[in-house]
Amino acid sequence: MVTKKLTLVQAINQALRHEMEKNPDMVLLGEDIGLDGGVFRTTEGLIDQFGDNRVVDTPLSESGIVGVAIGMAAYGLTPVVEIQFMGFLYGAMEQLISHAARLRTRTQGRYTCPIVVRSPYGGGIHAPELHSESTEALFIHTPGLKVVTPSTPAEAKGLLLSSIRDPDPVIFLEPARIYRAIKEEVPEGEYLIPLGKARTLMEGKDITLITWGAMVHPVLKAADRMAMEGVEAEVIDLRTLSPLDIETLLCSVKKTGRAVIVHEAPRSCGLGAEISALLCEEALDALEAPVLRVTGFDTPFPLPKMEKYYLPDVDQIVETIETVVGY
């Protein structure tokens, strides 16, 4: 397999280009995605290759963009929408929840809604208000929407191609913090990662660490530190947040007997709470300690000078692992 070392931004650009060459019905919609190449330059150069009929600069109207995409999908096109920041998605919630997510059930399976809504999410880039949101739970809680987030460039390409080919609406969340922070070898050409399947990044016998997106990287560093103390952690990257790969989670926790869930989203009613409840319902006999969470806070995401106090860091994760292991 031929590979090339890319950033996450470059991997997404490669995935979009690959699929647009393969699928003449695929259309991109979003603010400044044409001549400007998108707010993070993920669509750079695509308008030159595919023209402004397929790479469409839209007005500043998130509800309108998603609404048009739903109509395009119903008429057989494959629209991929870019929303500049996750905090701007709220303007399109009515379209996503009341229409995109319900089209399959509303028509008793006669129509589906194959759209992808891409958006950067999460903190760590010193952005102003509404630019660092991590409110994936809003979409996970909505039946009919799939929610996907990559943690590396290769993952971004494989998961995005699968999302575009999925027959139902997918919210594809791109961790803004690692858009250009890491590079890795990304397969050229066709490269698919199935949705709904988590990946085990490290195997261990003492504790299961469950996370996703940008938080994968501090969790891996915490697992390495614990290894020096003789604790073997199993690290799971969820990849698809809805539907959840329950089998992988239960299998791991039944082996290790302990679990810590790490996410930067607010704590209350976050995905960590759902996973914790799931483990208590389905794996209680195997648990040797309470399931703990390391999360953000139940506050609006802070302004740039305070964000380092909001985001979970390696020290917090290590401290929580030690608490669970020492229980």
Side-chain angles (χ1 to χ4, degrees), residues 30 43 104 106 112 125 172 180 189 229 244 272 304 309 312 318 320:
T43 55
R104 179 185 284 276
R106 179 177 289 155
T112 60
I125 59 169
F172 192 84
R180 291 184 173 83
E229 297 180 21
L244 206 54
Y309 300 109
V318 166
T320 306

Side-chain angles (χ1 to χ4, degrees), residues 71-288:
M72 286 179 161
Y75 276 90
L77 296 179
T78 308
V80 176
V81 168
E82 177 178 304
I83 300 295
Q84 291 189 336
F85 292 92
M86 193 174 189
F88 302 167
L89 260 174
Y90 310 148
M93 293 293 275
E94 200 271 339
Q95 296 287 357
L96 289 168
I97 294 174
S98 300
H99 302 294
R102 293 170 183 261
L103 196 56
R104 179 185 284 276
T105 52
R106 179 177 289 155
T107 63
Q108 298 183 337
R110 284 181 296 144
Y111 291 94
T112 60
C113 188
I115 69 170
V116 174
V117 178
R118 299 178 36 243
S119 182
Y121 88 108
I125 59 169
H126 305 297
E129 188 178 19
L130 290 171
H131 290 63
S132 302
E133 305 286 287
S134 184
T135 47
E136 59 269 27
L138 298 175
F139 304 100
I140 295 164
H141 190 69
T142 303
L145 296 180
K146 292 186 175 74
V147 183
V148 177
T149 182
S151 59
T152 71
E155 290 283 302
K157 178 175 180 181
L159 290 168
L160 181 55
L161 286 181
S162 294
S163 298
I164 294 170
R165 296 181 191 183
D166 195 273
D168 291 304
V170 176
I171 308 297
F172 192 84
L173 301 175
E174 300 163 4
R177 198 182 333 169
I178 55 174
Y179 261 147
R180 291 184 173 83
I182 54 175
K183 276 190 169 186
E184 72 172 355
E185 296 293 336
V186 178
E188 300 265 5
E190 188 86 351
Y191 179 60
L192 297 168
I193 296 174
L195 303 186
K197 185 66 181 171
R199 66 169 178 156
T200 301
L201 289 166
M202 290 176 64
E203 294 202 0
K205 60 179 178 57
D206 297 320
I207 188 168
T208 300
L209 308 180
I210 301 164
T211 190
W212 56 90
M215 292 312 301
V216 163
H217 303 282
V219 167
L220 285 172
K221 289 178 183 175
D224 286 339
R225 275 173 52 176
M226 293 308 300
M228 290 188 285
E229 297 180 21
V231 175
E232 296 180 20
E234 186 145 295
V235 179
I236 295 176
D237 173 10
L238 290 182
R239 287 174 158 167
T240 302
L241 310 186
S242 180
L244 206 54
D245 182 359
I246 296 171
E247 182 181 355
T248 294
L249 298 179
L250 292 179
C251 183
S252 176
V253 171
K254 287 179 180 177
K255 178 176 71 172
T256 65
R258 296 176 171 86
V260 169
I261 306 151
V262 183
H263 62 67
E264 66 180 87
R267 187 179 188 83
S268 296
C269 300
L271 181 55
E274 173 63 25
I275 294 171
S276 179
L278 177 74
L279 296 178
C280 291
E281 290 169 353
E282 302 292 337
L284 183 62
D285 290 344
L287 288 173
E288 298 180 33

Side-chain angles (χ1 to χ4, degrees), residues 33-50:
I33 65 167
L35 295 176
D36 286 346
V39 65
F40 286 98
R41 305 295 180 262
T42 51
T43 55
E44 194 164 47
L46 297 181
I47 195 171
D48 299 328
Q49 182 174 349
F50 300 103

Side-chain angles (χ1 to χ4, degrees), residues 279-305:
L279 296 178
C280 291
E281 290 169 353
E282 302 292 337
L284 183 62
D285 290 344
L287 288 173
E288 298 180 33
V291 177
L292 296 189
R293 291 169 286 164
V294 185
T295 70
F297 296 89
D298 292 342
T299 65
F301 194 90
L303 294 173
K305 284 186 179 179

